[in-house]
Amino acid sequence: MSNLSKLEFMILDISRNNYLPWVLDAEIHLDAKGLGDTIKEGNEASSQDKAKAMIFLRHHLDEGLKSKYLTLKDPFQLWTSLKERYDYLKATVLPRARREWMHLRLQDYKTISEYNSAVYRIISQLKLCGEPMNDEDMLEMTLSTFHASNMVL
């Protein structure tokens, strides 16, 4: 039977493809619902809030993950278990994003829009992995990739 409830964001895929954005979405939605503390260590959340958080988190899990973590009843335990299972992704995504950032060149893209999309995608990956990036970094990268004949600009 399909899940008839509306999803606020994508479910966490068992193949790990969307863990980093899923974590961010889950934290934001739990905070918006007043349940953000339920996934923090040493929380003093009521059992009712913990149950609401568990329902919300399980609603956004792949069926395989729901089965694997079927016996967990505390949202902090579920959050920690998922983190232990998938957090290694930061170690694989970060070097790739850094490499892409270092080799990013404006002239490799047909349009500015394509270049901007690549820049924002890479910066999002870096930020999700804890690398701070700001507008000055983006501007410096763009200016440093200009062709030598355009450097006067």
Side-chain angles (χ1 to χ4, degrees):
M1 184 170 157
S2 67
N3 197 346
L4 300 177
S5 299
K6 182 180 175 242
L7 293 173
E8 283 83 357
F9 54 93
M10 297 283 293
I11 64 168
L12 177 58
D13 188 19
I14 197 166
S15 67
R16 81 184 191 280
N17 292 336
N18 64 341
Y19 173 71
L20 294 175
W22 183 88
V23 165
L24 183 63
D25 287 341
E27 286 176 334
I28 290 169
H29 280 83
L30 285 171
D31 283 338
K33 293 176 179 291
L35 302 171
D37 289 340
T38 60
I39 57 170
K40 295 184 176 130
E41 189 170 9
N43 67 68
E44 299 292 327
S46 68
S47 60
Q48 186 177 17
D49 283 347
K50 287 181 180 182
K52 287 178 187 176
M54 277 302 287
I55 291 168
F56 179 80
L57 290 173
R58 288 184 50 79
H59 183 68
H60 291 87
L61 290 179
D62 181 82
E63 290 301 320
L65 290 171
K66 283 182 187 177
S67 297
K68 177 163 177 62
Y69 299 111
L70 185 63
T71 59
L72 296 181
K73 294 184 179 181
D74 186 341
F76 175 70
Q77 288 177 330
L78 176 60
W79 193 259
T80 305
S81 297
L82 291 170
K83 184 176 173 111
E84 289 170 1
R85 180 182 178 111
Y86 292 115
D87 211 35
Y88 74 91
L89 288 174
K90 288 182 181 179
T92 61
V93 171
L94 183 58
R96 185 177 65 235
R98 283 182 180 158
R99 181 176 32 82
E100 288 179 4
W101 181 252
M102 290 186 67
H103 297 300
L104 185 68
R105 297 181 327 159
L106 180 62
Q107 64 233 33
D108 291 340
Y109 297 90
K110 292 179 184 177
T111 66
I112 296 295
S113 179
E114 289 177 11
Y115 174 77
N116 279 340
S117 293
V119 167
Y120 289 125
R121 179 185 52 78
I122 295 168
I123 286 176
S124 294
Q125 289 175 344
L126 291 168
K127 285 182 178 179
L128 284 172
C129 293
E131 280 284 303
M133 296 297 286
N134 55 36
D135 289 340
E136 290 82 23
D137 296 327
M138 290 189 317
L139 185 58
E140 180 64 33
M141 174 54 73
T142 302
L143 293 175
S144 70
T145 65
F146 278 6
H147 191 272
S149 64
N150 296 331
M151 289 306 274
V152 175
L153 296 175

